[in-house]
Amino acid sequence: MVDQSRLWDAHAAATYDTPGEGMFAPEVLGPTVERLHELADRGPALELAIGTGRVAIPLRERGTAVSGIELSAPMLARLREKATEEEIPVVHGDMTTARAGEGFSLVYLVFNTISNLLTQEQQVACFRNAASQLAPGGCFVIELWVPQLRSLAPGHGGTVEVSEPGYLLVDTYDTLAQQVVSHHVRFEAAVDGARGARIGRTPHRYVWPSELDLMAQLAGLQRESRWADWDRSAFTADSRSHVSVYRKPATGSLD
């Protein structure tokens, strides 16, 4: 089993933030924060795998009290450079078991992070852990990519997802194990006529939307909405990602 805390090491923490660009771009981050603020409905929120605070910090600034759970000590240290424990309390631990309290109006897990859990059992445990910390009537929100298996050519086990100057992303699939490895190739400036490259690999367990819905049922949650993006655009067969909202019943208890 891959130790995810070692994947998100000091180098990853130091290079994770890209202010104003990529997933930190206002057009990406703005709708995410606004929708989560609405779903929290003036109650407290809990972010699983809070990382360096990409979403948590602007969500707190928007007016929602945010707590977090984070496995990587270097990522948490980077967050602490930007927000204190009093501002954003964080439990250092695994999002399948660690607890930050209970009675949260919102628990959320963004940017494909549930796929970092590499077994179905871990992913189900994550749902159950999230549900146990929700207040009755609260919601669990997941942002996740849709597996692009239709892009696989017959006899080929990989796809080129990104090809741009200085960067190449190739995904390779093991469809029997429902695993995908992302190969990140970053090309370095030429030195003495030679151009080097740095390769990083991140494993994932891909999850179909319908499988997520079953995990939610096992955790006592009900699917309320599914959008293609944070702007609430319609989810279709051609959507490459989705935002799914699961609600904990306002009355009754989990099995």
Side-chain angles (χ1 to χ4, degrees), residues 45-64:
L46 171 63
E47 180 172 0
L48 305 182
I50 195 170
T52 68
R54 179 184 74 96
V55 174
I57 291 173
L59 181 58
R60 178 183 179 274
E61 292 171 348
R62 182 65 179 82
T64 295

Side-chain angles (χ1 to χ4, degrees), residues 3 37 51 54 65 74 95 121 126 161 193 200 230 241:
D3 183 350
H37 177 69
R54 179 184 74 96
M95 62 183 172
E121 291 78 11
C126 180
E161 294 297 315
W230 295 99
S241 63

Side-chain angles (χ1 to χ4, degrees), residues 165-181:
Y167 177 66
L168 180 68
L169 170 61
V170 177
D171 283 345
T172 55
Y173 288 82
D174 179 345
T175 55
L176 291 179
Q178 209 164 305
Q179 301 278 324
V180 59
V181 177

Side-chain angles (χ1 to χ4, degrees), residues 40 46 57 66 145 189 203 229 251:
L46 171 63
I57 291 173
V66 183
W145 61 290
D229 207 340
T251 58

